[in-house]
Amino acid sequence: MGEEGGGRSCGITRELQKLKQQAMEYYQENDVPRRLEELLNSTFYLQPADVYGHLANYFSKLAKPPTICRVVGKSILDGLGLPALQVEIFCIIQNFSKHICSVEIAADFEVLENALPELVEAEDAERDMAVNMAVQWINEAITEELQGMIPTKQAEVDQVLRTFFANKVQEDKEQKELEKTIEESTAPPPPPVTPPLAPPPPPKKKGPKSGRKDSLVEKPIPPAEPPEAILCGSMAIGAVSLAIAKTNATLDNIPLYLNMALLKHNQEQPSMMTLPLLMGSLISCGKSSPGKLNLMKEVICIPHPGLSTKQGVEMLLEIQKQISKAMEPLPPPKAEAKKGHDSTKRGQPLITGKMSHLGCLTINYDTIEQPLLLIQGACANLGLELGVNLHLAINCAGHELMDYSRGKYEVIVGTYKTTTEMVDLYVDLINKYPFIIALIDPFRKEDTELWENLYTALGSKCYIITGSASKSISKLLENQITSIPKCHGLILRHTNQTTMSDMVEITNLTDSKRLIVILGTTEGESSDDSLVDLAVGLGVRFVKLGGPSRGERVTKYNRLLNIEEELVQNGTWGANEEHIFCPFIEDAEMSLDPATVSSKLLLPQESIFPTEVVQDSTNT
């Protein structure tokens, strides 16, 4: 018994010595003894009040960088109660899985108002399919692809996402080709073609009648281009990329806009940051409005560049209040008892307004002048002057105005304009109302000749901007922005497969071509405010947020105000430049003549609104 017990004790001793040896090698391999000695010595000399907090901070700096362990996709509802996508990022931090952040992105579909029920149902089904497919991609394949990657390496993550998407595009292409082959093989053979009968001889043409002039033949309009193909589920790529950028900012304890600025400037933090100018929608009188006017889908307020964002938002809110007051119904007139009075006689139609999904009032106006006179009156009541304290932009939504059966634009119900007349209409509008400094989508994208004519006529005093007439960011990058109509700038939207690396690349490209960039919201919006951070970090000229009336849009206004406050406090707030109208595309390589530029500046008079915030921030 004694010998057996002694043998077991010797075996245990040898195992313990072996374990000690392994432990010593493990700790030495990871440099633990030296680190502990340094830490204990420094702790004794520093003698911090929170000893264990000091130890924790020291060891946290030595920990491995966080790695992605899980990406979760969920279907949620946007501000209109429609399906949207939410992405959550989980990382391994100091051996534990932690939830880092989440983002929400709305499906990129046009919001149909007053449309046929079957069209609405078809689009709802397509939207549901897009969101559900994106959720499936994220929870099954993308989370496996990104597992173990370091979220701070945005370019590497985006490249993985691009490769994944390219494979999905190829799979979709092969699937469609296979379906086409099967369909052709099972289809019945076409009937034999019988040769057509010889056409009858043409009748003799009669000569023109005397005294009658030949009518001018209107040039036929180019047919509408097919819509750009969007792969179902592609919104997963853009949403995950944005979530990774937000994760990076969260882990580095910096705001998202600063993280985007670092990406854009090769990890060099800019000394000054300029906030984008606000574009806030005031009223809507477009195709879906109850009135006859179709031309003005949005009438947009642009506060003067010399005002702070806070002052601009306050101005916008006050104008909106004045417009709402003008929409309040007047009390009914008292009945007159005069003999022969016709009490059934109809007066002027009541002007009413309802809140649209764009965050502004939709008003039933019948003429082009009415909305502009309404805003002029609202500004006059506040002591503001259009063209001095603020300017206007018009989103014309030209693609919605074309009547293809007539080949004309229907600017007002029953009023059709030829292509030539449309150019004249816009020229007359800007000459009559010079405080309008931007026209968004004045024509369809196919009418390139009209864009050139309008640019030639108004390019020196009004921004010509492409929105829906532009391409997706992927296509713009593919063709280096050569397939858009002639314009001063374009509206970009972060949608579908657009990654953060794409956003940086496209803004660098537009900067090189001196194109104005407006970062805009989609029509259906979520409560996520990341769009504002992207606009600030990427240094775009304008941010288009819709009106300040719906919760999902107000959150973005609040985020813009918070960023301005942060920049002022940090002393990194930069002043905006005046509006400049000059050729941006063809003459991008040429230096600007200072005399020419100064003649095209919209210089303000003395501002009626106070500018204390701007002056204080400048002094700091």
Side-chain angles (χ1 to χ4, degrees):
M1 290 291 293
E3 292 179 0
E4 291 180 2
R8 281 196 297 270
S9 63
C10 290
I12 293 172
T13 302
R14 283 195 296 270
E15 289 179 1
L16 285 174
Q17 288 177 346
K18 185 177 180 181
L19 285 174
K20 288 180 180 180
Q21 182 64 29
Q22 291 175 347
M24 185 179 300
E25 292 175 357
Y26 174 77
Y27 289 131
Q28 287 179 345
E29 182 181 345
N30 290 278
D31 203 21
V32 173
R34 185 183 66 82
R35 298 278 190 184
L36 283 175
E37 183 179 0
E38 290 179 355
L39 175 60
L40 293 175
N41 289 335
S42 64
T43 303
F44 174 74
Y45 285 109
L46 293 174
Q47 295 189 0
D50 184 357
V51 175
Y52 293 102
H54 173 71
L55 297 178
N57 290 335
Y58 180 85
F59 283 119
S60 66
K61 296 176 182 178
L62 302 178
K64 288 185 177 180
T67 56
I68 301 169
C69 66
R70 191 156 52 106
V71 183
V72 178
K74 296 179 182 178
S75 177
I76 61 170
L77 299 178
D78 65 12
L80 299 176
L82 300 172
L85 177 63
Q86 182 186 62
V87 176
E88 297 179 307
I89 303 294
F90 294 81
C91 289
I92 294 294
I93 301 178
Q94 297 174 15
N95 303 314
F96 291 98
S97 174
K98 293 184 180 180
H99 176 271
I100 306 301
C101 70
S102 65
V103 299
E104 300 165 5
I105 183 170
D108 185 27
F109 287 86
E110 186 177 357
V111 176
L112 299 176
E113 294 182 345
N114 305 326
L116 295 174
E118 52 267 26
L119 291 178
V120 176
E121 290 177 5
E123 183 160 294
D124 287 346
E126 193 174 351
R127 183 186 286 106
D128 288 342
M129 189 183 302
V131 174
N132 291 332
M133 182 62 71
V135 170
Q136 181 181 336
W137 283 10
I138 293 169
N139 293 336
E140 293 180 3
I142 292 180
T143 187
E144 293 182 4
E145 293 278 351
L146 300 185
Q147 200 168 36
M149 295 194 70
I150 299 175
T152 54
K153 297 182 178 181
Q154 182 79 44
E156 293 182 11
V157 173
D158 286 346
Q159 186 56 46
V160 170
L161 293 173
R162 285 170 174 168
T163 303
F164 172 84
F165 181 71
N167 293 336
K168 285 293 182 182
V169 171
Q170 184 62 28
E171 290 176 12
D172 182 71
K173 182 180 178 182
E174 293 173 357
Q175 180 65 27
K176 288 180 178 178
E177 290 176 352
L178 178 61
E179 292 174 356
K180 183 179 179 181
T181 304
I182 295 174
E183 183 180 352
E184 291 175 350
S185 62
T186 56
V193 180
T194 57
L197 298 175
K204 294 182 179 180
K205 294 183 180 180
K206 296 182 179 180
K209 294 182 179 180
S210 59
R212 184 177 177 180
K213 294 183 178 179
D214 293 334
S215 59
L216 294 175
V217 179
E218 185 69 24
K219 189 176 180 180
I221 63 168
E225 294 180 9
E228 191 174 326
I230 299 175
L231 184 61
C232 184
S234 61
M235 61 188 303
I237 305 301
V240 171
S241 180
L242 175 60
I244 294 299
K246 195 171 181 180
T247 298
N248 189 359
T250 303
L251 293 174
D252 287 346
N253 198 27
I254 60 174
L256 177 58
Y257 67 83
L258 184 54
N259 180 57
M260 292 304 302
L262 292 173
L263 287 175
K264 184 175 174 69
H265 299 283
N266 297 320
Q267 300 304 315
E268 292 184 9
Q269 182 173 341
S271 58
M272 304 294 288
M273 299 189 70
T274 303
L275 286 176
L277 295 176
L278 177 64
M279 278 189 164
S281 302
L282 290 173
I283 55 177
S284 175
C285 304
K287 192 83 171 178
S288 61
S289 65
K292 293 182 178 180
L293 181 60
N294 296 335
L295 184 64
M296 299 182 178
K297 183 172 183 176
E298 291 175 276
V299 182
I300 301 167
C301 169
I302 305 176
H304 189 272
L307 298 177
S308 68
T309 301
K310 182 178 180 181
Q311 292 169 331
V313 172
E314 290 173 351
M315 177 193 296
L316 181 59
L317 290 171
E318 290 300 321
I319 296 173
Q320 193 178 57
K321 288 178 185 177
Q322 290 293 323
I323 293 174
S324 299
K325 286 181 181 179
M327 294 299 102
E328 293 176 0
L330 298 174
K334 295 181 179 180
E336 298 183 16
K338 292 182 180 180
K339 186 177 179 180
H341 175 72
D342 183 7
S343 60
T344 62
K345 185 176 180 181
R346 297 179 63 184
Q348 294 294 326
L350 181 65
I351 303 299
T352 58
K354 66 173 184 177
M355 192 59 61
S356 75
H357 65 278
L358 299 171
C360 61
L361 285 174
T362 299
I363 303 178
N364 58 327
Y365 277 145
D366 298 336
T367 67
I368 295 175
E369 293 79 14
Q370 283 178 303
L372 300 176
L373 294 176
L374 172 70
I375 295 173
Q376 273 186 317
C379 291
N381 292 339
L382 297 169
L384 299 172
E385 184 179 350
L386 284 165
V388 177
N389 307 107
L390 70 155
H391 298 88
L392 296 184
I394 307 295
N395 180 7
C396 308
H399 59 289
E400 298 179 6
L401 305 179
M402 175 56 69
D403 185 323
Y404 286 93
S405 63
R406 287 180 168 87
K408 297 180 180 181
Y409 288 91
E410 189 179 18
V411 295
I412 299 172
V413 174
T415 301
Y416 300 91
K417 297 288 186 182
T418 64
T419 53
T420 304
E421 291 171 339
M422 284 298 292
V423 175
D424 295 338
L425 183 149
Y426 288 128
V427 171
D428 293 342
L429 181 67
I430 300 304
N431 289 336
K432 186 175 181 180
Y433 302 102
F435 49 77
I436 300 174
I437 62 166
L439 294 174
I440 301 172
D441 284 338
F443 309 108
R444 302 179 309 144
K445 60 185 174 184
E446 295 84 0
D447 297 326
T448 53
E449 185 177 343
L450 297 185
W451 287 84
E452 292 181 4
N453 294 341
L454 188 65
Y455 187 93
T456 302
L458 295 177
S460 63
K461 51 187 173 183
C462 178
Y463 294 127
I464 311 300
I465 303 295
T466 66
S468 298
S470 182
K471 304 280 188 181
S472 68
I473 291 178
S474 300
K475 290 292 183 183
L476 292 172
L477 289 173
E478 183 180 325
N479 55 43
Q480 296 292 292
I481 319 184
T482 57
S483 61
I484 62 173
K486 191 169 185 178
C487 59
H488 291 92
L490 63 165
I491 298 177
L492 299 179
R493 294 181 177 88
H494 173 240
T495 58
N496 301 319
Q497 68 269 23
T498 304
T499 64
M500 294 300 100
S501 298
D502 292 334
M503 295 297 292
V504 170
E505 186 177 352
I506 191 66
T507 51
N508 286 336
L509 185 58
T510 53
D511 290 346
S512 68
K513 293 180 177 288
R514 289 207 179 106
L515 282 168
I516 289 174
V517 171
I518 303 169
L519 198 59
T521 60
T522 54
E523 292 207 358
E525 264 304 305
S526 70
S527 58
D528 193 292
D529 58 10
S530 302
L531 170 79
V532 177
D533 284 78
L534 298 187
V536 175
L538 295 172
V540 302
R541 174 64 171 171
F542 295 98
V543 61
K544 184 174 177 290
L545 299 179
S549 293
R550 297 183 63 95
E552 67 273 15
R553 298 187 182 276
V554 172
T555 55
K556 297 172 179 59
Y557 278 86
N558 287 334
R559 180 59 184 152
L560 193 60
L561 293 171
N562 290 337
I563 293 176
E564 179 180 61
E565 186 177 347
E566 289 177 18
L567 295 180
V568 170
Q569 291 176 351
N570 297 336
T572 55
W573 180 90
N576 268 301
E577 298 177 351
E578 301 291 340
H579 300 299
I580 303 175
F581 304 103
C582 57
F584 288 91
I585 299 180
E586 289 83 2
D587 301 336
E589 304 298 328
M590 298 171 60
S591 59
L592 296 178
D593 182 6
T596 305
V597 172
S598 62
S599 66
K600 297 179 181 180
L601 290 174
L602 286 180
L603 297 175
Q605 301 174 17
E606 185 176 352
S607 175
I608 297 176
F609 262 62
T611 56
E612 286 84 355
V613 174
V614 179
Q615 292 171 353
D616 292 345
S617 61
T618 305
N619 293 335
T620 58

